[in-house]
Amino acid sequence: MEERCGKGGEPVSFQYLNPGRDARFKDRHTTKVDETVSYYEPGETGDIGILGLPLSKTSISLSGASEAPGSIRRALGSYSTYSGEKDKSYEDMKVLDFGDVPVHPTDNEETRKRLKTSVKEMIDTEACSKYVMLGGDHGVSFPSISAFQEKYGRVGVIQWDAHHDLRNVEDGGRTNGTPFRSLIEEGVIHGEDLVQIGIRDFSNAKAYADYARNHNIHTYTMGDVEEKGIHNLTDQVIQILENKCNCIYLSVDMDAVDQAYAPGCPAIGPGGLTARELLSSVSLAAAHPLVKGMDIVEVDPTKDFRDMTSRLAAHVMMRYMYV
């Protein structure tokens, strides 16, 4: 029974009312993932830091991905911290939430500056060993990876995506289709340090496939996934990067997943990864000690069905955290 002070200071007892708290069922033996998350306080340390990058104004297709940081956080409340496959509970893992970066209402370049500054400020706290950035469209990867490069030096990137995201900037400026071209041409990353998994047929232009080849980008199509298997391919990808990079950054575009498993993406399509393939691949990659950061992008809650895509994104986040 909750007891509070009423008018005049007299105690008021409530049998069921609990103002300011969710009225949800609580099993004494179950800890939900969102119960391990608390807002960062200066000087505090934890295991995982998370930051929302709610930019979707640079999307070349209509997108509500700016709402995804909130929807993914809410989805964490649907899952427990116990892994039955590992027979291990992660209820003592401490997740620090650094909040969301306020975007500029009209100036996208100003927003990119804010995103980079905020990611850099977060990792400079050294409060956690690993960080998760919740997009937003894929354009957020340009400022985020730039911040990691300033902190760690040479950064290798594993990108799960149906698209190369190597579009030219002349036709529309920096968009969610240009982040990796921008990173290469700005000298933030080397082409040979970028690995793309899940590139899908009939989803890109020849000019951008040629750009990838000409810049020594390691590109693995869905055909390669089928031929090699996602586990073997992921192991191969790690070996490409581990001996030449100071840090590995994972970038998960949710449209790498088949539309049957991730309907809430602006650019859905058939023939992509299964949910299980993505989760297994992220788990394998995240276990490497050089992995310091990950972004999850292109979740549009306004297009989703029963939060399927946000829930899958929450599982991607959990597979990254619980290794």
Side-chain angles (χ1 to χ4, degrees):
M1 183 178 293
E2 183 84 4
E3 186 173 281
R4 295 170 181 257
C5 291
K7 187 176 180 180
E10 302 88 351
V12 176
S13 297
F14 296 138
Q15 292 190 64
Y16 306 110
L17 298 179
N18 199 358
R21 300 180 186 176
D22 293 334
R24 67 177 179 179
F25 175 76
K26 174 61 181 172
D27 181 326
R28 71 186 69 185
H29 299 298
T30 302
T31 301
K32 295 298 182 71
V33 178
D34 66 340
E35 295 179 69
T36 68
V37 181
S38 60
Y39 283 110
Y40 170 76
E41 296 289 343
E44 190 176 12
T45 59
D47 300 294
I48 304 290
I50 63 176
L51 176 65
L53 307 180
L55 172 66
S56 59
K57 292 180 180 179
T58 56
S59 178
I60 60 177
S61 55
L62 186 64
S63 174
S66 58
E67 297 183 24
S71 68
I72 297 171
R73 286 185 179 97
R74 289 190 296 273
L76 294 174
S78 298
Y79 303 107
S80 79
T81 56
Y82 172 69
S83 167
E85 293 183 0
K86 297 179 181 179
D87 192 23
K88 182 177 180 179
S89 180
Y90 295 90
E91 61 186 9
D92 294 328
M93 176 169 282
K94 189 175 183 181
V95 182
L96 301 180
D97 192 338
F98 286 76
D100 288 354
V101 180
V103 301
H104 192 281
T106 58
D107 189 338
N108 290 329
E109 187 57 39
E110 169 62 23
T111 292
R112 279 186 284 270
K113 290 179 182 178
R114 294 182 184 186
L115 300 185
K116 179 182 176 182
T117 297
S118 299
V119 172
K120 184 65 163 51
E121 287 177 343
M122 176 178 67
I123 58 180
D124 277 347
T125 66
E126 300 186 350
C128 305
S129 58
K130 297 168 70 175
Y131 298 90
V132 181
M133 281 55 65
L134 301 176
D137 68 36
H138 218 157
V140 306
S141 293
F142 175 62
S144 183
I145 293 172
S146 297
F148 272 79
Q149 188 273 331
E150 287 190 4
K151 175 70 173 178
Y152 295 104
R154 189 168 180 175
V155 177
V157 179
I158 304 175
Q159 172 195 355
W160 289 265
D161 207 326
H163 311 97
H164 291 294
D165 286 356
L166 298 169
R167 290 177 183 268
N168 73 85
V169 297
E170 288 79 13
D171 288 338
R174 282 185 174 147
T175 68
N176 64 335
T178 67
F180 297 101
R181 185 172 188 143
S182 295
L183 286 164
I184 291 169
E185 295 187 352
E186 291 288 325
V188 178
I189 65 172
H190 304 289
E192 65 186 50
D193 296 341
L194 173 60
V195 182
Q196 302 180 326
I197 300 175
I199 300 299
R200 201 145 67 226
D201 221 8
F202 305 112
S203 298
N204 298 276
K206 184 179 185 302
Y208 304 129
D210 291 342
Y211 184 96
R213 282 188 287 268
N214 293 337
H215 288 79
N216 300 314
I217 296 168
H218 304 273
T219 299
Y220 296 94
T221 66
M222 280 306 303
D224 294 321
V225 173
E226 291 175 358
E227 179 183 345
K228 299 175 183 295
I230 196 65
H231 288 186
N232 291 334
L233 195 151
T234 305
D235 285 339
Q236 181 178 334
V237 163
I238 289 291
Q239 291 171 21
I240 290 172
L241 300 176
E242 64 182 350
N243 293 321
K244 57 184 179 180
C245 298
N246 301 327
C247 162
I248 296 175
Y249 182 104
L250 313 182
S251 186
V252 182
D253 186 325
M254 293 299 293
D255 70 25
V257 182
D258 192 284
Q259 61 188 7
Y261 304 95
C265 296
I268 60 171
L273 297 168
T274 66
R276 185 70 184 180
E277 284 174 328
L278 176 65
L279 295 175
S280 296
S281 187
V282 169
S283 292
L284 285 171
H288 198 281
L290 284 182
V291 173
K292 302 295 183 184
M294 176 180 72
D295 63 46
I296 304 173
V297 299
E298 299 296 344
V299 175
D300 183 349
T302 70
K303 293 181 171 68
D304 213 358
F305 175 73
R306 295 197 65 187
D307 298 322
M308 285 175 61
T309 313
S310 291
R311 286 169 178 260
L312 179 55
H315 266 262
V316 170
M317 181 174 167
M318 290 155 59
R319 291 303 183 97
Y320 173 81
M321 297 192 302
Y322 301 153
V323 293

